[in-house]
PDB file of all heavy atoms in Angstrom:
ATOM      1  N   PRO A 340      26.141   8.664 -37.012  1.00 60.00           N
ATOM      2  CA  PRO A 340      24.789   8.476 -36.479  1.00 60.00           C
ATOM      3  C   PRO A 340      24.749   8.309 -34.957  1.00 60.00           C
ATOM      4  O   PRO A 340      23.715   8.498 -34.345  1.00 60.00           O
ATOM      5  CB  PRO A 340      24.294   7.222 -37.194  1.00 60.00           C
ATOM      6  CG  PRO A 340      25.483   6.566 -37.773  1.00 60.00           C
ATOM      7  CD  PRO A 340      26.548   7.603 -37.915  1.00 60.00           C
ATOM      8  N   ASP A 348      18.852  10.713 -26.879  1.00 69.00           N
ATOM      9  CA  ASP A 348      18.790  10.223 -25.492  1.00 69.00           C
ATOM     10  C   ASP A 348      18.852  11.374 -24.495  1.00 69.00           C
ATOM     11  O   ASP A 348      18.128  11.394 -23.507  1.00 69.00           O
ATOM     12  CB  ASP A 348      19.928   9.235 -25.209  1.00 69.00           C
ATOM     13  CG  ASP A 348      19.696   7.882 -25.849  1.00 69.00           C
ATOM     14  OD1 ASP A 348      18.536   7.588 -26.212  1.00 69.00           O
ATOM     15  OD2 ASP A 348      20.671   7.115 -25.990  1.00 69.00           O
ATOM     16  N   THR A 355      11.860  13.921 -19.902  1.00 63.00           N
ATOM     17  CA  THR A 355      11.290  13.037 -18.880  1.00 63.00           C
ATOM     18  C   THR A 355      11.470  13.634 -17.491  1.00 63.00           C
ATOM     19  O   THR A 355      10.529  13.650 -16.694  1.00 63.00           O
ATOM     20  CB  THR A 355      11.944  11.643 -18.948  1.00 63.00           C
ATOM     21  OG1 THR A 355      11.740  11.109 -20.253  1.00 63.00           O
ATOM     22  CG2 THR A 355      11.355  10.705 -17.908  1.00 63.00           C
ATOM     23  N   SER A 357      11.752  16.748 -16.729  1.00 58.00           N
ATOM     24  CA  SER A 357      10.876  17.914 -16.647  1.00 58.00           C
ATOM     25  C   SER A 357       9.440  17.482 -16.358  1.00 58.00           C
ATOM     26  O   SER A 357       8.770  18.048 -15.502  1.00 58.00           O
ATOM     27  CB  SER A 357      10.940  18.698 -17.956  1.00 58.00           C
ATOM     28  OG  SER A 357       9.967  19.704 -17.955  1.00 58.00           O
ATOM     29  N   HIS A 403     -14.889  13.556  -2.875  1.00 94.00           N
ATOM     30  CA  HIS A 403     -13.556  14.151  -2.857  1.00 94.00           C
ATOM     31  C   HIS A 403     -12.584  13.176  -2.205  1.00 94.00           C
ATOM     32  O   HIS A 403     -12.834  12.687  -1.101  1.00 94.00           O
ATOM     33  CB  HIS A 403     -13.553  15.461  -2.057  1.00 94.00           C
ATOM     34  CG  HIS A 403     -14.529  16.467  -2.556  1.00 94.00           C
ATOM     35  ND1 HIS A 403     -14.259  17.292  -3.622  1.00 94.00           N
ATOM     36  CD2 HIS A 403     -15.778  16.774  -2.155  1.00 94.00           C
ATOM     37  CE1 HIS A 403     -15.301  18.068  -3.842  1.00 94.00           C
ATOM     38  NE2 HIS A 403     -16.238  17.765  -2.966  1.00 94.00           N
ATOM     39  N   HIS A 420      19.512   9.411  -8.210  1.00 86.00           N
ATOM     40  CA  HIS A 420      19.890   9.079  -9.584  1.00 86.00           C
ATOM     41  C   HIS A 420      18.657   9.091 -10.485  1.00 86.00           C
ATOM     42  O   HIS A 420      18.649   9.703 -11.541  1.00 86.00           O
ATOM     43  CB  HIS A 420      20.575   7.711  -9.624  1.00 86.00           C
ATOM     44  CG  HIS A 420      20.871   7.219 -11.002  1.00 86.00           C
ATOM     45  ND1 HIS A 420      21.801   7.814 -11.812  1.00 86.00           N
ATOM     46  CD2 HIS A 420      20.334   6.218 -11.720  1.00 86.00           C
ATOM     47  CE1 HIS A 420      21.843   7.186 -12.968  1.00 86.00           C
ATOM     48  NE2 HIS A 420      20.952   6.213 -12.939  1.00 86.00           N
TER      49      HIS A 420
END
Side-chain angles (χ1 to χ4, degrees):
D348 286 342
T355 302
S357 172
H403 303 278
H420 174 68

